[in-house]
Amino acid sequence: MFELSLAEARDALRARKFSAAELTEAYLSRLEALNPKLNAYITPTPELALKQAAAADAALARGEGGPLTGIPLAIKDLFCTAGVRTTAASNILRPFVPPYESTVTAHLLRDGAVFLGKANLDEFAMGSSNMTSAFGAVANPWTLPGDARPRVPGGSSGGSAAAVAARIALGATATDTGGSIRQPASFCGIVGIKPTYGRCSRWGIVAFASSLDQAGPLARTVEDAAILLGSMAGFDPKDSTSADIAVPDFAAACARGVKGLRIGVPREYRSDDMPPEIEALWQQGLAWLKDAGAEIVDVSLPHTKYGLATYYIVAPAEASSNLARYDGVRFGARVEGADLIEMYENTRAAGFGAEVKRRVLIGTYVLSAGYYDAYYLRAQKVRALIRRDFTEAFGKVDALLTPTTPSAAFVQGERMDDPVKMYLNDVFTVPANMSGIPGLSLPAGLDSSGLPLGLQVLGKPFDEETVFAVAGALEKAAHFTARPALQAEG
Ligand code: GLN
């Protein structure tokens, strides 16, 4: 049962080969067995899941049911779920139970999905290792033979990615502000897509950096990711940045092939410190696309080198503003003080972890009167140049191919003493957020030690279909069948 893809499980449910209750029970018992080791879920919701599975079976028995009826999913604990605690992996939201459902999760429920629980993440989605969660680190299901040290699943959607890779969810929701869908997908050997900014509603998702945040799915196959995105996406009048554009049949695009497509290779993504095996995998990916009938074209994205620096001004600036709402008055935790100001201070000092405080400090600094022009305004100008680079490149090519990350999954605790080194994880993923374009990561191979590595496909705004077509061709050629060590235990 755990070997089935989401599409296969959907078909088996429709053919009544097993019931939604049976599928959900199987996933729940695997979750119970493996979660103590992985810590992928903060809040499992078995009772809710069984209720939803029963409703799915009733719908299927009537010959009804949507595209996800009876499919068990993990929900990143950044999506508000009505009546189910939503923590953003922060102490400040530890007691928060939203009275409303996010638009994206409401779409999934409309389509019949079953929610197994709320998945762990970096606190407020700030991080690349899932080490900053107030609910503890998540272990990557991939380990190395003879090396017991747990590795990071990536971040911030580390719990979602670990759950999908360990087969304790058939798919998951995630969000990506600078790489938090694609980097964990790469580290865990699965597929993840950050769609175009505006494709999925941000309504009901705890905000990190609103001009960059996008929701998207994590799944085990390209087609599964396409099915999930088809449900999550769509116009929402409650989010003023939501795009009023029809949602195409993403799943149908996966098998389109790449014949006649022009695939760009951005030369600035090549660096001297890139590990040779990642460079080799990139070349392999280009060769696969060429064999499948695509034309490979060199392109230039000259402002990419400023992407990370600009991101670490824009994202903390927006975060410092968004997180001002956690003041002990309206949401979550409150620590009393002698007066109102002291109550604010006590609440925020106790409620936020070190990385979140660092971002709030940086953000407040770059927005302060004396430094606004030197940092924030300048970063906005560079952001416009990064966006223009992509517009120009997409005048010549249909999609771009790059590595997803500059390394494979590292050991838990590494890079924690050096935030800048941690931030470098996102060097290949951040430009897509800065420019709003879609980006997908798929597993393309293993490094010499046996850990998964991803390739990233970038596409034109609102042309996720081409991204899926390219990813589908790569998936077919890569034939990635490796499984995490943990697989043997389930
Ligand atoms: N790792 C990046 C950060 O820490 C991106 C996080 C994200 O995409 N949510 O900001």
Side-chain angles (χ1 to χ4, degrees), residues 76 125-128 155-156 175-180 208 311-312 359 423 426:
K76 186 178 184 178
M126 297 173 190
S128 305
S156 63
T175 60
D176 190 312
T177 303
S180 283
F208 165 9
Y311 171 83
Y312 276 101
R359 308 274 178 124
Y423 297 169
D426 302 316

Side-chain angles (χ1 to χ4, degrees), residues 76 78 122 124-129 155-157 175-183 208 212-213 308 311-312 315-316 355 359 422-423 425-426 429-430 433:
K76 186 178 184 178
L78 202 63
D122 279 297
F124 281 104
M126 297 173 190
S128 305
S129 63
S156 63
S157 312
T175 60
D176 190 312
T177 303
S180 283
I181 292 177
R182 293 159 286 159
Q183 186 250 16
F208 165 9
L212 302 160
D213 297 344
L308 210 55
Y311 171 83
Y312 276 101
E355 183 61 27
R359 308 274 178 124
M422 188 65 91
Y423 297 169
N425 271 292
D426 302 316
T429 48
V430 148
N433 303 79

Side-chain angles (χ1 to χ4, degrees), residues 124-139:
F124 281 104
M126 297 173 190
S128 305
S129 63
N130 217 121
M131 296 293 293
T132 72
S133 167
F135 294 82
V138 174

